[in-house]
Amino acid sequence: MSFFKEIFADSFLDAAKLLPLLFAIYLLVEYLEHKNNNFVHNLFLKSRKSGALLGALFGTVPQCGFSVIASELFSKKAITMGTLIAIFIATSDEAIPILIAHPDRIFDMLRLIGIKFVVAVIFGFLIDFFVKTEIKSEETEEEHHFHGNCESCEDGIFKSAVIHSLKIFLFIFLVNIVLGTAAEFISPFMQFITDRPFLQTVIACLFGIIPNCAASVVLTELYLAGKITFSALAGGLCTGAGVGLLVLFRQNENQKQNFAILCIIFAIGVFSGLVLSLF
């Protein structure tokens, strides 16, 4: 019983230490998301030839809001498939705030952003070169307000940031409990996964596809705990577009196309992770 009490206490303290910084980060993100997104919306519409580059750039912002608006625009035939996939690949959801909350991991955060940006740009343009997307939407003055953090901002960004910070705190707390328990009881299995980079990358990419911020939290915490490599983390986060993927399947009527996009980002994630593992 003392073993579980120790794991519980250590997990709570580790998560609690991150809470103040996480709140500051999410308050800033909520402020950015709360502003009118009409500029971003129309920028994508105007810049179709450089859509993959813009998509990769906006995707690096630490939230999945841009993946949401990208899914909506793609379903309306307003952006290309390459732009959509570039945003999906560049999006890291909760990974960036968690890494920022660990000052000793800032270099890892910059590496992650840089690698995912490059991968997003390359594959975004390649997909647009080989896949021609019908575009038929025009610029609009309608306001486009979207949230990737899944919290309503009707009661103000402060409350939304508090709720989201507590939610991520809970995720981190639970993940740490599971990891602490697993280290004691299923260490042979964990070692089996750790010793096989290919299997590790494939599992990380499959997990990353889950359309929920918990997926990026788990992958990042596994990396911080030394259970998966940086290459597996990068590959897994390349497949993770947060709730953007969920919006795509809900908004885009062409389900065959949706599954094709899902397979493409999974293949890109596995390929990128394996290439990184060589270095």
Side-chain angles (χ1 to χ4, degrees):
M1 186 62 70
S2 59
F3 168 75
F4 290 105
K5 286 182 178 180
E6 184 177 345
I7 290 179
F8 186 91
D10 289 344
S11 298
F12 181 82
L13 288 175
D14 288 343
K17 290 175 184 176
L18 304 179
L19 194 54
L21 190 51
L22 285 175
F23 171 72
I25 295 168
Y26 287 125
L27 186 61
L28 176 61
V29 169
E30 288 293 337
Y31 171 75
L32 295 174
E33 287 194 330
H34 187 74
K35 297 182 73 67
N36 186 353
N37 294 285
N38 208 48
F39 168 75
V40 175
H41 179 274
N42 286 330
L43 186 61
F44 279 124
L45 296 182
K46 286 180 177 179
S47 309
R48 287 164 186 164
K49 290 184 178 180
S50 58
L53 179 61
L54 282 174
L57 183 62
F58 281 107
T60 60
V61 178
Q63 41 89 357
C64 62
F66 290 115
S67 69
V68 172
I69 196 173
S71 296
E72 293 180 348
L73 288 172
F74 181 75
S75 66
K76 297 174 183 176
K77 303 186 186 301
I79 60 172
T80 65
M81 184 184 291
T83 300
L84 174 73
I85 290 178
I87 293 173
F88 279 5
I89 293 172
T91 298
S92 298
D93 209 1
E94 311 300 339
I96 302 304
I98 293 174
L99 289 173
I100 291 176
H102 290 80
D104 59 322
R105 298 288 186 162
I106 296 300
F107 178 68
D108 285 339
M109 180 204 70
L110 295 175
R111 267 201 309 168
L112 182 65
I113 292 175
I115 289 170
K116 282 165 62 64
F117 174 79
V118 171
V119 172
V121 171
I122 292 174
F123 282 100
F125 279 118
L126 278 176
I127 290 166
D128 277 346
F129 180 79
F130 289 105
V131 181
K132 302 304 177 184
T133 308
E134 179 187 357
I135 302 294
K136 62 179 182 181
S137 183
E138 298 180 355
E139 185 174 348
T140 175
E141 296 302 320
E142 178 188 356
E143 288 192 358
H144 295 270
H145 184 73
F146 60 92
H147 272 263
N149 285 339
C150 311
E151 324 302 341
S152 171
C153 62
E154 292 181 359
D155 296 324
I157 62 173
F158 185 86
K159 180 180 178 181
S160 180
V162 168
I163 294 173
H164 194 67
S165 299
L166 290 175
K167 188 180 291 186
I168 299 305
F169 160 79
L170 181 60
F171 282 146
I172 294 174
F173 174 50
L174 294 176
V175 169
N176 284 339
I177 289 177
V178 171
L179 289 178
T181 306
E184 183 70 18
F185 294 103
I186 58 172
S187 55
F189 174 75
M190 295 298 293
Q191 191 62 46
F192 177 82
I193 298 297
T194 303
D195 293 340
R196 289 161 176 79
F198 175 76
L199 181 60
Q200 188 180 116
T201 300
V202 171
I203 292 175
C205 290
L206 284 172
F207 200 83
I209 288 175
I210 299 172
N212 188 288
C213 58
S216 58
V217 173
V218 171
L219 289 174
T220 308
E221 287 297 314
L222 283 170
Y223 171 68
L224 292 173
K227 302 302 181 183
I228 63 173
T229 63
F230 179 82
S231 57
L233 172 68
L237 291 177
C238 278
T239 66
V243 295
L245 200 57
L246 196 63
V247 173
L248 178 67
F249 274 84
R250 186 176 62 201
Q251 299 287 91
N252 187 28
E253 296 179 354
N254 190 339
Q255 295 300 320
K256 183 178 179 181
Q257 186 181 55
N258 295 338
F259 278 106
I261 292 170
L262 182 66
C263 291
I264 289 171
I265 62 173
F266 174 74
I268 292 172
V270 172
F271 175 79
S272 302
L274 293 179
V275 170
L276 285 172
S277 69
L278 298 177
F279 301 97

